[in-house]
């Protein structure tokens, strides 16, 4: 193997720098389904009744989520995105669902979703209009928060279109307070930093105090280039964003597009593995009524979900890169570590990676237990510091594993000093 320089980064690993929004929610990354990436703003129920934004779509998703093991796997929220309301507010200034597409109204839909043991999410916007041009909440924060509470909605995704950027903070904070004043626990999903980054570095202390999760970067598309761009953005901003994640508040790299059209199976495995490492909300945007068995199995993979939902609640990050590999690691509870090795080379076949070169291999001094989770589950048994184990990783695929130290002393991982190192493979 040629000599390759791996850049190794280690971050300050203290618990989150600030207090989370204290509404008792999102103690683990949110899991559920959100319509946007797959169904977008399809309002044409006459010609496309099965795929248009209507109460039927969410009822059917809720049905499938219960019947097909999604709920059991942990997916809980069924979330409406843009394009659900009427273009006009009602006589009392309240948002109303489009009467043709939601004849029962949102309260009935929430009751239905609750009857299945699931939760309902809704969407609104901090500005004058939503991104797709429906009524925004500016000037109506109290009214809209109360309306959502009256409807028994469990989550609000609050978008950031059509507002002067200098007013974003005030808007997001005011809506957070308005939700709180309803007395109902409503999970608050924000896009504040995404809309602020073009102008200034967002204040993640304030964001964590205000929101349960927050989008930082562009909308995910159904393509590998989109997933890669999200990973690249996250890695290049990890010093800023990773410390803000923890129980109650999470960075949101946007929806899982697994089960759609644009990702190969290896790329789907990469998205699932890296979203778990990033402690990201797992909000699928796909058609659960029609999904291939392999994608379903991947999305319901217990071992990956366990990493995502790990109670320590620390976000993982990129710890090494080089030779077209990236290593991402996430500290887990019980002193364990999750490691993802992503092969970014999109030519050729599977490439070998010496596992002992990952920064977290210090967990294996003198010995550790290794469990391979992707590309397939395999107990790799006891490994030692000088292990010669080579993992073969497909192009744009990821090997995911957990490492459990077998030793009395704790590894040095918990050191809080920031350190930049180089290791040679
Ligand atoms: C923005 C958001 C998306 C989606 C659309 C809806 O682009 O980032 O997630 O909600 O608006 O119009």
């Amino acid at each position: 193997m040629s000599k390759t320089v791996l850049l190794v980064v280690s971050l300050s690993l203290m618990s989150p720098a600030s207090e989370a929004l204290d509404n008792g929610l999102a103690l683990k990354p949110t899991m559920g389904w959100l319509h946007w990436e797959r169904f977008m703003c399809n309002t044409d129920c006459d010609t496309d009744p099965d795929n248009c934004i209507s109460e039927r779509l969410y009822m059917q998703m809720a049905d499938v989520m219960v019947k097909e093991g999604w709920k059991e796997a942990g997916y809980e929220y069924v979330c409406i995105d843009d394009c659900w309301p009427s273009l006009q507010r009602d006589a009392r200034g309240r948002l109303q669902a489009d009467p043709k597409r939601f004849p029962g109204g949102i309260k009935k839909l929430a009751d239905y979703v609750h009857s299945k043991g699931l939760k309902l999410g809704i969407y609104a916007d901090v500005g004058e209009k939503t991104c797709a041009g429906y009524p925004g909440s500016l000037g109506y924060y109290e009214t809209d928060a109360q309306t959502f509470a009256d409807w028994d909605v469990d989550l609000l995704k609050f978008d950031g279109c059509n507002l002067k950027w200098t007013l974003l903070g005030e808007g997001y904070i005011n809506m957070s307070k308005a939700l709180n004043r309803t007395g109902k626990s409503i999970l608050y999903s924000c896009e504040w930093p995404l809309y602020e980054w073009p102008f200034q570095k967002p204040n993640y202390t304030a964001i964590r105090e205000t929101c349960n999760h927050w989008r930082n970067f562009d909308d995910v598309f159904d393509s590998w280039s989109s997933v890669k761009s999200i990973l690249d953005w996250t890695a290049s901003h990890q010093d800023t964003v990773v410390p803000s994640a923890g129980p109650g508040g999470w960075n949101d790299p946007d929806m899982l597009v697994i089960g759609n059209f644009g990702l190969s199976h290896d790329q789907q495995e990469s998205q699932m593995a890296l979203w778990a490492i990033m402690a990201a909300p797992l909000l699928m945007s796909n058609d659960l009524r029609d999904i291939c068995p392999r994608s379903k199995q991947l999305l319901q993979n217990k071992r990956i979900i366990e990493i995502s939902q790990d109670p320590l609640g620390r976000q993982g990050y990129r710890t090494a890169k080089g030779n077209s590999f990236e290593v991402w690691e996430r500290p887990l509870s019980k002193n364990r570590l999750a490691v993802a090795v992503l092969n970014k080379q999109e030519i050729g076949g599977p490439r070998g990676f010496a596992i002992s070169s990952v920064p977290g291999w210090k967990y294996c001094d003198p010995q550790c237990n290794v469990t391979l989770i992707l590309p397939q589950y395999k107990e790799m048994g006891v490994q030692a510091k000088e292990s010669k184990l080579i993992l073969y990783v497909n192009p744009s695929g990821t090997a995911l594993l957990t490492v459990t130290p077998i030793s009395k002393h704790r590894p040095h991982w918990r050191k809080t000093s920031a350190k930049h190192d180089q290791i040679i493979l």
Side-chain angles (χ1 to χ4, degrees):
M1 197 181 295
S2 66
K3 290 222 160 172
T4 309
V5 176
L6 276 189
L7 175 66
V8 182
V9 184
S10 90
L11 290 175
S12 158
L13 287 168
M14 295 174 292
S15 25
S18 57
E19 294 300 318
L21 170 59
D22 186 19
N23 61 3
L25 298 172
L27 298 178
K28 295 177 176 178
T30 307
M31 292 178 68
W33 179 91
L34 173 62
H35 96 235
W36 185 256
E37 194 287 321
R38 177 64 188 253
F39 296 95
M40 301 192 75
C41 196
N42 179 353
T43 54
D44 186 0
C45 293
D46 293 332
T47 50
D48 197 6
D50 289 338
N51 300 299
C52 68
I53 305 313
S54 72
E55 61 186 28
R56 236 181 111 216
L57 182 68
Y58 307 98
M59 289 162 88
Q60 290 183 349
M61 272 335 139
D63 292 347
V64 180
M65 279 170 76
V66 174
K67 276 203 203 110
E68 303 280 331
W70 299 100
K71 181 185 162 198
E72 208 187 318
Y75 295 94
E76 190 181 14
Y77 288 83
V78 182
C79 301
I80 305 172
D81 207 287
D82 206 346
C83 306
W84 63 270
S86 275
L87 288 167
Q88 257 79 48
R89 289 175 176 269
D90 73 7
R92 290 168 54 191
R94 293 174 305 188
L95 288 171
Q96 47 190 347
D98 181 285
K100 198 166 164 220
R101 295 181 285 118
F102 294 82
I106 304 294
K107 172 73 173 88
K108 275 247 173 69
L109 180 56
D111 290 346
Y112 184 83
V113 168
H114 293 154
S115 77
K116 302 267 157 188
L118 298 168
K119 296 188 163 147
L120 183 72
I122 204 158
Y123 167 99
D125 187 286
V126 70
E128 273 174 32
K129 284 187 167 166
T130 72
C131 300
Y134 288 80
S137 295
L138 187 64
Y140 293 92
Y141 296 155
E142 296 286 338
T143 309
D144 291 354
Q146 195 53 54
T147 305
F148 299 145
D150 293 344
W151 288 343
D152 257 334
V153 162
D154 305 286
L155 175 152
L156 172 65
K157 170 173 173 176
F158 209 40
D159 211 336
C161 274
N162 303 307
L163 185 71
K164 204 173 155 215
W165 75 271
T166 49
L167 301 175
L168 282 168
E170 192 186 314
Y172 274 99
I173 290 168
N174 285 340
M175 187 48 137
S176 186
K177 289 182 179 158
L179 289 172
N180 190 270
R181 274 195 291 273
T182 67
K184 194 181 154 19
S185 300
I186 299 178
L187 198 152
Y188 189 35
S189 165
C190 301
E191 300 201 29
W192 171 4
L194 161 59
Y195 289 91
E196 192 162 320
W197 267 112
F199 307 100
Q200 67 181 22
K201 187 173 168 179
N203 175 352
Y204 280 92
T205 304
I207 290 167
R208 182 170 166 77
E209 285 164 2
T210 304
C211 306
N212 292 118
H213 29 89
W214 47 86
R215 286 271 310 280
N216 292 310
F217 186 63
D218 293 352
D219 292 1
V220 70
F221 278 47
D222 187 11
S223 72
W224 180 234
S225 63
S226 166
V227 171
K228 270 191 304 185
S229 70
I230 293 171
L231 292 173
D232 289 346
W233 188 92
T234 306
S236 60
H237 294 80
Q238 60 189 14
D239 293 325
T240 305
V241 301
V242 170
S244 68
W250 311 96
N251 289 294
D252 177 6
D254 211 3
M255 294 158 270
L256 293 169
V257 293
I258 296 165
N260 291 322
F261 310 96
L263 300 187
S264 71
H265 193 73
D266 284 293
Q267 293 162 355
Q268 296 182 41
E269 292 188 348
S270 292
Q271 194 190 22
M272 190 69 188
L274 272 304
W275 261 235
I277 291 277
M278 290 189 290
L282 300 180
L283 292 167
M284 307 176 282
S285 194
N286 49 17
D287 190 346
L288 298 175
R289 300 164 302 185
D290 176 23
I291 184 167
C292 97
R294 264 186 109 189
S295 300
K296 179 177 170 191
Q297 222 177 39
L298 173 63
L299 285 160
Q300 294 190 359
N301 184 311
K302 282 198 180 71
R303 292 184 178 87
I304 309 177
I305 292 174
E306 235 169 68
I307 293 175
S308 149
Q309 303 288 299
D310 184 80
L312 188 60
R314 296 249 292 267
Q315 178 172 343
Y317 50 92
R318 194 170 73 190
T319 55
K321 77 182 209 133
N323 196 19
S324 296
F325 280 109
E326 291 189 5
V327 180
W328 291 63
E329 295 172 282
R330 174 174 175 184
L332 301 175
S333 58
K334 299 193 198 130
N335 204 24
R336 291 162 312 139
L337 182 73
V339 182
V341 179
L342 167 63
N343 176 4
K344 284 194 99 180
Q345 186 167 292
E346 293 169 39
I347 187 169
R351 288 195 306 141
F353 182 91
I355 191 63
S356 63
S357 64
V358 309
W361 202 249
K362 49 179 162 278
Y363 275 60
C364 299
D365 186 3
Q367 284 190 319
C368 62
N369 239 304
V370 174
T371 304
L372 188 66
I373 296 173
L374 286 176
Q376 68 276 316
Y377 169 67
K378 193 172 176 198
E379 290 297 343
M380 310 299 289
V382 176
Q383 301 288 325
K385 194 175 147 228
E386 48 289 324
S387 165
K388 296 277 180 288
L389 191 64
I390 305 279
L391 294 176
Y392 281 84
V393 193
N394 289 349
S396 62
T398 293
L400 179 66
L401 46 116
T402 56
V403 176
T404 310
I406 311 174
S407 75
K408 285 196 190 109
H409 60 266
R410 287 164 93 76
H412 306 305
W413 184 262
R414 280 158 196 283
K415 268 191 183 164
T416 52
S417 64
K419 183 174 114 202
H420 294 74
D421 240 352
Q422 304 255 357
I423 60 171
I424 314 281
L425 265 186

